């Protein structure tokens, strides 16, 4: 199939670029691209959200009046051409709605070129600066920084385990404290053996001194 062959052609040249990344000049560019991917992905998501919002606005406003915006897919294609610099549809949009056509058209250009393009440029410049800083460092210093980063990661994970164990110990202490009565007195647990021994050997009764013996009773 021609579609599969087209996709494979792109993948083949992408693989060729990975082989060329070992060269000194291309290695720098490949490291910049890899470093920038972490920020390019959220940027691309933001770009898609803004572009889809503008495309929906164009389709709602010019869908029944301009042929290039007759459907949402054709609206996406037309707005891509607008971003590429084409202004063929502006006259038709202006005739369809002279008030909103300039507002939407120039708002799209300002947001995409002034805001998003500058953000993309800033991301790439930041990645280039980081890669250059890494290349200027000595190999020993870079190796020690990576080792220190790995040690810090292990320490954070170990501290997380210790905090979890400490929380379990605190829960155990609270459960033991719960055995104390509301008045603050500890609950006394009587042993059944001791109760049995008390029943077998009752305590001797003290003599009743409330009625002393009568005088001369012993005579």
């Amino acid at each position: 199939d021609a579609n599969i062959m087209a996709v494979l052609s792109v993948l083949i040249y992408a693989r060729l670029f990975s082989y060329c990344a070992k060269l000194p000049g291309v290695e720098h560019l490949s490291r910049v691209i890899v470093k920038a991917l972490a920020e390019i992905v959220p940027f691309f998501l933001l770009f898609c959200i803004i572009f889809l919002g503008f495309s929906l606005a164009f389709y709602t406003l010019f869908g029944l009046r301009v042929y290039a915006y007759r459907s949402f897919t054709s609206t996406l294609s037309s707005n891509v051409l607008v971003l590429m610099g084409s202004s063929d549809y502006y006259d038709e949009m202006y005739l369809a709605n002279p008030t909103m056509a300039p507002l939407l058209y120039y708002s799209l250009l300002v947001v995409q070129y002034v805001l998003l393009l500058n953000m993309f440029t800033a991301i790439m410049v930041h990645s280039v600066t980081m890669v250059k800083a890494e290349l200027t460092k000595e190999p020993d210093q870079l190796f020690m920084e990576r080792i220190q980063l790995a040690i810090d990661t292990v320490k954070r994970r170990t501290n997380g385990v210790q905090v979890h164990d400490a929380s379990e110990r605190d829960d155990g202490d609270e459960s033991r404290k719960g055995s104390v009565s509301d008045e603050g007195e500890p609950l006394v647990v009587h042993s059944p053996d001791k109760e049995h021994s008390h029943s077998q050997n009752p305590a001797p009764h003290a003599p009743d001194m409330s009625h002393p013996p009568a005088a001369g009773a012993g005579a």
Side-chain angles (χ1 to χ4, degrees):
D1 192 5
N3 296 329
I4 297 177
M5 293 299 296
V7 174
L8 290 178
S9 300
V10 175
L11 294 179
I12 288 172
Y13 278 93
R15 189 66 176 174
L16 180 62
F17 178 77
S18 66
Y19 288 131
C20 293
K22 303 299 181 180
L23 299 176
V26 184
E27 181 182 5
H28 177 72
L29 297 178
S30 63
R31 293 181 66 176
V32 169
I33 294 174
V34 172
K35 186 73 68 175
L37 281 178
E39 297 179 358
I40 289 178
V41 173
F43 169 80
F44 182 73
L45 179 62
L46 177 63
F47 173 83
C48 291
I49 292 173
I50 295 176
F51 184 75
L52 290 175
F54 273 99
S55 298
L56 184 60
F58 274 87
Y59 173 67
T60 304
L61 191 59
F62 305 110
L64 300 176
R65 302 177 182 180
V66 181
Y67 182 76
Y69 296 94
R70 62 191 180 275
S71 64
F72 189 70
T73 54
S74 61
T75 301
L76 293 175
S77 302
S78 301
N79 283 342
V80 169
L81 293 177
V82 169
L83 292 180
M84 301 300 290
S86 176
S87 60
D88 298 336
Y89 311 120
Y90 180 74
D91 294 335
E92 297 182 21
M93 289 188 292
Y94 186 81
L95 292 176
N97 194 329
T99 304
M100 293 298 297
L103 180 63
L104 282 179
Y105 183 81
Y106 290 109
S107 296
L108 175 62
L109 294 180
V110 168
V111 171
Q112 298 293 337
Y113 282 108
V114 176
L115 180 61
L116 295 180
L117 184 60
N118 287 333
M119 289 178 59
F120 181 78
T121 305
I123 290 172
M124 297 305 297
V125 170
H126 179 65
S127 301
V128 170
T129 304
M130 292 179 61
V131 171
K132 284 187 176 180
E134 291 180 357
L135 293 177
T136 54
K137 292 180 181 178
E138 296 182 358
D140 295 339
Q141 182 181 359
L142 186 60
F143 176 74
M144 293 303 298
E145 288 182 358
R146 292 179 179 177
I147 292 296
Q148 186 63 37
L149 180 61
I151 293 174
D152 295 338
T153 304
V154 173
K155 284 183 178 180
R156 284 196 298 269
R157 293 180 180 179
T158 305
N159 292 334
V161 174
Q162 291 178 355
V163 169
H164 180 68
D165 295 339
S167 61
E168 290 182 352
R169 289 196 297 269
D170 293 339
D171 294 338
D173 295 338
E174 290 179 359
S175 62
R176 286 193 295 271
K177 290 178 182 179
S179 62
V180 181
S181 61
D182 296 338
E183 292 82 2
E185 297 292 335
L187 296 177
V188 179
V189 180
H190 298 281
S191 175
D193 297 335
K194 290 184 179 181
E195 291 180 356
H196 182 70
S197 62
H198 282 298
S199 61
Q200 294 291 337
N201 300 318
H205 297 285
D208 189 5
M209 301 300 295
S210 60
H211 302 285

